[in-house]
Amino acid sequence: MPGHSQAAIAAYPELGCTGKQIKTATKWGVFEDIYCTKESTFKFLEDVIDEVVELFPGKYIHIGGDEAPKSRWKECAHCQKLIKKENLKDEHGLQSYFITRMEKYINSKGKQIIGWDEVLEGGLAPNATVMSWRGTAGAVEAAKQKHNVILTPNSHCYFDHYQSDHENEPLAIGGFLPLEKVYRFDPIPEELNEDEAKYVLGAQGNVWTEYMQTPEKVEYMAFPRAIALAEVVWSVPENKNYADFVNRLAHFNKRLDLLNVHYANHLYEIKGKLLNNNAQLTYQLENATDNKILYSLDGLQPSYLNSLTYKNPIKITSSTTIKAAIFNTDEKQLGSVFEQKLDLHKAVGKKISLSVQPNKGYNAGGKQALINGISGNNERYGDKEWLGFSGDDVEITIDFNKPTKINSISTRFYNGNEQWIYAPKTLNLILTLEDGSLISSKKMITKKDSLLVNFDVNLSQLYPKNNILKTKTLKLIIPNYGIIPEGKQGAGHKAWTFIDEIIVE
Ligand code: ACM
Ligand code: ZN
């Protein structure tokens, strides 16, 4: 409450601001119809709390508070009257009034409330415990106000996000949260001093089940990440050791087998990374267990017969496909084959700068991911190759170090409109040539109905001057799509922009 109440309002239309009959949702999302703040709604909610209090012996009742759009309250005579009567600043003040009033009622039953970090809007209810999910800012703010907090940031604690970028992973909501990232989570935000840190009660993993039809799938998403989080909250940071955790987990999996838990096993997955040391490109392979990695180039299947044992990052001097796998001491392959295609186009490993940082949750590969010779996943944007920007216009500058003849530029945009992600409508390209002159080109992006929207420019055809002169720097100016239109998921919010490898030939 007051948001995420569409089902209740569909059953009892008088609980909403319009009083009109609405339908229950058939898809997940954030919906405009929220509880109206009239007296009869509070009476109803108090009745519900009376029943909940009877059912659950615990000290806390989590009342939500998250994702409550204010559009209905803005248009509602009751809600506007109450804002005036209570001398509230605006609809956020009304959210605070709503939460504080429910808190008082719940406190009178001997219980405490927990609310998502939106309960900070317009002023925190006096005794509320805050669950910080939109990053850690809510936890910092609440702890500084001497309120208890629980960390569950969507950067480290959302077990509904992908745990592997392997293409066989079952469909998930998006995001990328590998086991190691959970393990490396520090639940005490660095902005808090020792006294403030005492308000951190702990951390929680969230497993929202929009994409999980079976209990087995829930287990797959929760394990082993829940085990990593348990160790995080029960350990002092000095005692954490990921390599040790992973080797213990390999044994612990036998317990999970006995308990018939359908856990995910990515322990034998190989992680790869292109390294650039003074224009010397190498490719690093990693696995957290202490088994051997064998690899081959040019796409050969890795095996004891035709592969090399990985020791140091592999020198990369031309486009190739690396395949690698983990083998135990009995020469048995563990896990599946890692495969990475590397396309050594002209921007790979060059200097790149961005005018704004990608959103923290979608910046796993950092800015170099845009020019590392590796394209993003064709289906999903949550890997370490796609970069996601939330609502910002983005300028990307690639400095070729020495003037370089370029013929074409191409990239891709993710266009998952249901996830609020939109390809831009236009794109500007500015090349600085070796004589200091500029080529500037504005492109409209017209094809917008597919999940991936390609952008290609053939410069040698378009700009004869480019055929003679080499390029020093390339700038891509990518305006955000803008506000998501009415009737779409996320309507009224700014769209996200997701961009893939910038391929320069
Ligand atoms: C949340 O994920 N809406 C708390
Ligand atoms: Zn209302």
Side-chain angles (χ1 to χ4, degrees), residues 478-505:
I478 306 166
N480 181 265
Y481 174 87
I483 303 291
I484 299 173
E486 271 312 306
K488 302 276 196 174
Q489 290 275 7
H493 292 267
K494 274 197 143 184
W496 287 72
T497 309
F498 272 76
I499 180 164
D500 193 8
E501 182 78 3
I502 299 167
I503 300 170
V504 179
E505 305 278 8

Tab-separated table of all heavy atoms in Angstrom, residues 478-505:
chain	number	residue	atom	x	y	z
A	478	ILE	N	23.905	10.477	-28.806
A	478	ILE	CA	22.709	9.624	-28.764
A	478	ILE	C	21.683	10.247	-27.826
A	478	ILE	O	21.775	10.092	-26.605
A	478	ILE	CB	23.080	8.208	-28.273
A	478	ILE	CG1	24.215	7.643	-29.134
A	478	ILE	CG2	21.872	7.298	-28.286
A	478	ILE	CD1	24.878	6.421	-28.534
A	479	PRO	N	20.707	10.973	-28.382
A	479	PRO	CA	19.686	11.555	-27.500
A	479	PRO	C	18.773	10.460	-26.966
A	479	PRO	O	18.452	9.523	-27.695
A	479	PRO	CB	18.904	12.501	-28.418
A	479	PRO	CG	19.596	12.482	-29.740
A	479	PRO	CD	20.460	11.260	-29.792
A	480	ASN	N	18.399	10.587	-25.710
A	480	ASN	CA	17.441	9.653	-25.124
A	480	ASN	C	16.124	9.694	-25.913
A	480	ASN	O	15.747	10.737	-26.443
A	480	ASN	CB	17.197	10.041	-23.656
A	480	ASN	CG	16.231	9.110	-22.963
A	480	ASN	OD1	15.028	9.377	-22.894
A	480	ASN	ND2	16.734	8.008	-22.457
A	481	TYR	N	15.447	8.560	-25.987
A	481	TYR	CA	14.160	8.476	-26.709
A	481	TYR	C	13.157	9.515	-26.201
A	481	TYR	O	12.358	10.053	-26.941
A	481	TYR	CB	13.590	7.067	-26.525
A	481	TYR	CG	12.211	6.871	-27.087
A	481	TYR	CD1	12.033	6.501	-28.413
A	481	TYR	CD2	11.083	7.061	-26.281
A	481	TYR	CE1	10.766	6.329	-28.939
A	481	TYR	CE2	9.810	6.884	-26.799
A	481	TYR	CZ	9.654	6.514	-28.129
A	481	TYR	OH	8.390	6.345	-28.635
A	482	GLY	N	13.200	9.782	-24.900
A	482	GLY	CA	12.258	10.739	-24.310
A	482	GLY	C	11.268	10.038	-23.409
A	482	GLY	O	11.534	8.952	-22.885
A	483	ILE	N	10.129	10.672	-23.225
A	483	ILE	CA	9.114	10.149	-22.301
A	483	ILE	C	8.378	8.971	-22.952
A	483	ILE	O	7.987	9.037	-24.113
A	483	ILE	CB	8.088	11.272	-21.970
A	483	ILE	CG1	8.808	12.493	-21.369
A	483	ILE	CG2	6.994	10.761	-21.046
A	483	ILE	CD1	9.389	12.279	-20.001
A	484	ILE	N	8.194	7.913	-22.181
A	484	ILE	CA	7.479	6.734	-22.692
A	484	ILE	C	6.000	7.094	-22.889
A	484	ILE	O	5.372	7.676	-21.994
A	484	ILE	CB	7.622	5.549	-21.717
A	484	ILE	CG1	9.108	5.200	-21.573
A	484	ILE	CG2	6.812	4.347	-22.181
A	484	ILE	CD1	9.402	4.158	-20.504
A	485	PRO	N	5.466	6.782	-24.084
A	485	PRO	CA	4.103	7.237	-24.383
A	485	PRO	C	3.018	6.543	-23.552
A	485	PRO	O	3.231	5.443	-23.024
A	485	PRO	CB	3.933	6.917	-25.870
A	485	PRO	CG	5.056	6.032	-26.250
A	485	PRO	CD	6.120	6.107	-25.204
A	486	GLU	N	1.885	7.199	-23.460
A	486	GLU	CA	0.689	6.662	-22.790
A	486	GLU	C	0.397	5.256	-23.284
A	486	GLU	O	0.595	4.957	-24.464
A	486	GLU	CB	-0.532	7.535	-23.137
A	486	GLU	CG	-0.781	8.704	-22.202
A	486	GLU	CD	-0.740	8.335	-20.725
A	486	GLU	OE1	-1.479	7.414	-20.335
A	486	GLU	OE2	0.040	8.963	-19.984
A	487	GLY	N	-0.097	4.435	-22.398
A	487	GLY	CA	-0.538	3.097	-22.799
A	487	GLY	C	0.569	2.068	-22.811
A	487	GLY	O	0.321	0.881	-22.971
A	488	LYS	N	1.838	2.510	-22.664
A	488	LYS	CA	2.964	1.564	-22.634
A	488	LYS	C	3.420	1.372	-21.188
A	488	LYS	O	3.185	2.232	-20.333
A	488	LYS	CB	4.145	2.129	-23.434
A	488	LYS	CG	3.826	2.425	-24.866
A	488	LYS	CD	3.972	1.175	-25.699
A	488	LYS	CE	4.039	1.531	-27.167
A	488	LYS	NZ	4.315	0.393	-28.005
A	489	GLN	N	4.113	0.253	-20.940
A	489	GLN	CA	4.732	0.051	-19.625
A	489	GLN	C	5.640	1.245	-19.331
A	489	GLN	O	6.425	1.638	-20.190
A	489	GLN	CB	5.597	-1.213	-19.625
A	489	GLN	CG	4.828	-2.505	-19.701
A	489	GLN	CD	4.360	-2.987	-18.339
A	489	GLN	OE1	4.497	-2.299	-17.332
A	489	GLN	NE2	3.774	-4.165	-18.315
A	490	GLY	N	5.519	1.802	-18.137
A	490	GLY	CA	6.410	2.908	-17.751
A	490	GLY	C	6.004	4.250	-18.339
A	490	GLY	O	6.795	5.195	-18.324
A	491	ALA	N	4.764	4.358	-18.846
A	491	ALA	CA	4.303	5.611	-19.459
A	491	ALA	C	4.585	6.796	-18.529
A	491	ALA	O	4.397	6.711	-17.320
A	491	ALA	CB	2.811	5.522	-19.754
A	492	GLY	N	5.072	7.884	-19.120
A	492	GLY	CA	5.322	9.089	-18.330
A	492	GLY	C	6.747	9.164	-17.788
A	492	GLY	O	7.212	10.222	-17.394
A	493	HIS	N	7.464	8.024	-17.767
A	493	HIS	CA	8.866	8.028	-17.323
A	493	HIS	C	9.780	8.197	-18.527
A	493	HIS	O	9.395	7.921	-19.651
A	493	HIS	CB	9.215	6.705	-16.640
A	493	HIS	CG	8.521	6.500	-15.339
A	493	HIS	ND1	9.073	6.855	-14.135
A	493	HIS	CD2	7.301	6.001	-15.058
A	493	HIS	CE1	8.225	6.570	-13.171
A	493	HIS	NE2	7.136	6.054	-13.703
A	494	LYS	N	11.007	8.606	-18.255
A	494	LYS	CA	11.991	8.654	-19.336
A	494	LYS	C	12.432	7.238	-19.691
A	494	LYS	O	12.567	6.384	-18.820
A	494	LYS	CB	13.196	9.484	-18.914
A	494	LYS	CG	12.994	10.974	-19.175
A	494	LYS	CD	14.300	11.714	-19.139
A	494	LYS	CE	14.314	12.809	-20.189
A	494	LYS	NZ	15.632	13.471	-20.228
A	495	ALA	N	12.669	7.022	-20.960
A	495	ALA	CA	13.072	5.687	-21.418
A	495	ALA	C	14.536	5.416	-21.068
A	495	ALA	O	15.293	6.327	-20.762
A	495	ALA	CB	12.890	5.594	-22.927
A	496	TRP	N	14.878	4.133	-21.095
A	496	TRP	CA	16.278	3.710	-20.984
A	496	TRP	C	16.877	3.593	-22.390
A	496	TRP	O	16.158	3.276	-23.340
A	496	TRP	CB	16.370	2.340	-20.343
A	496	TRP	CG	16.102	2.283	-18.874
A	496	TRP	CD1	14.889	2.423	-18.267
A	496	TRP	CD2	17.057	2.041	-17.838
A	496	TRP	NE1	15.036	2.284	-16.909
A	496	TRP	CE2	16.360	2.038	-16.623
A	496	TRP	CE3	18.425	1.811	-17.825
A	496	TRP	CZ2	16.976	1.820	-15.398
A	496	TRP	CZ3	19.055	1.593	-16.614
A	496	TRP	CH2	18.330	1.610	-15.417
A	497	THR	N	18.191	3.797	-22.478
A	497	THR	CA	18.916	3.538	-23.721
A	497	THR	C	19.937	2.440	-23.456
A	497	THR	O	20.700	2.537	-22.494
A	497	THR	CB	19.690	4.796	-24.182
A	497	THR	OG1	18.802	5.907	-24.208
A	497	THR	CG2	20.307	4.584	-25.553
A	498	PHE	N	19.927	1.391	-24.281
A	498	PHE	CA	20.935	0.321	-24.160
A	498	PHE	C	21.713	0.238	-25.464
A	498	PHE	O	21.130	0.104	-26.537
A	498	PHE	CB	20.271	-1.029	-23.874
A	498	PHE	CG	20.071	-1.273	-22.404
A	498	PHE	CD1	19.055	-0.628	-21.720
A	498	PHE	CD2	20.905	-2.128	-21.693
A	498	PHE	CE1	18.863	-0.835	-20.358
A	498	PHE	CE2	20.733	-2.346	-20.336
A	498	PHE	CZ	19.710	-1.691	-19.661
A	499	ILE	N	23.030	0.330	-25.356
A	499	ILE	CA	23.861	0.332	-26.547
A	499	ILE	C	24.884	-0.803	-26.508
A	499	ILE	O	25.427	-1.137	-25.459
A	499	ILE	CB	24.526	1.718	-26.750
A	499	ILE	CG1	25.390	1.733	-27.991
A	499	ILE	CG2	25.319	2.164	-25.541
A	499	ILE	CD1	25.736	3.122	-28.453
A	500	ASP	N	25.114	-1.373	-27.690
A	500	ASP	CA	26.012	-2.530	-27.849
A	500	ASP	C	27.342	-2.060	-28.442
A	500	ASP	O	27.576	-0.859	-28.646
A	500	ASP	CB	25.318	-3.551	-28.769
A	500	ASP	CG	26.002	-4.912	-28.768
A	500	ASP	OD1	26.916	-5.135	-27.951
A	500	ASP	OD2	25.623	-5.747	-29.604
A	501	GLU	N	28.201	-3.023	-28.758
A	501	GLU	CA	29.515	-2.777	-29.380
A	501	GLU	C	29.419	-1.754	-30.522
A	501	GLU	O	28.521	-1.819	-31.356
A	501	GLU	CB	30.015	-4.124	-29.928
A	501	GLU	CG	31.380	-4.106	-30.569
A	501	GLU	CD	32.524	-4.101	-29.553
A	501	GLU	OE1	32.249	-4.174	-28.319
A	501	GLU	OE2	33.679	-4.005	-29.978
A	502	ILE	N	30.365	-0.817	-30.541
A	502	ILE	CA	30.460	0.139	-31.650
A	502	ILE	C	31.531	-0.389	-32.595
A	502	ILE	O	32.727	-0.361	-32.269
A	502	ILE	CB	30.801	1.545	-31.130
A	502	ILE	CG1	29.692	2.012	-30.184
A	502	ILE	CG2	30.985	2.511	-32.299
A	502	ILE	CD1	30.065	3.227	-29.370
A	503	ILE	N	31.082	-0.926	-33.719
A	503	ILE	CA	31.995	-1.619	-34.632
A	503	ILE	C	32.465	-0.655	-35.706
A	503	ILE	O	31.657	-0.073	-36.444
A	503	ILE	CB	31.286	-2.841	-35.274
A	503	ILE	CG1	30.857	-3.818	-34.156
A	503	ILE	CG2	32.190	-3.532	-36.290
A	503	ILE	CD1	29.952	-4.926	-34.625
A	504	VAL	N	33.763	-0.433	-35.748
A	504	VAL	CA	34.340	0.500	-36.719
A	504	VAL	C	35.198	-0.312	-37.676
A	504	VAL	O	36.145	-0.986	-37.267
A	504	VAL	CB	35.194	1.560	-35.991
A	504	VAL	CG1	35.812	2.518	-37.000
A	504	VAL	CG2	34.346	2.324	-34.981
A	505	GLU	N	34.863	-0.267	-38.955
A	505	GLU	CA	35.634	-1.049	-39.951
A	505	GLU	C	36.420	-0.095	-40.846
A	505	GLU	O	35.970	1.013	-41.085
A	505	GLU	CB	34.701	-1.885	-40.833
A	505	GLU	CG	33.777	-2.810	-40.065
A	505	GLU	CD	34.420	-4.127	-39.631
A	505	GLU	OE1	35.650	-4.265	-39.795
A	505	GLU	OE2	33.691	-4.977	-39.119
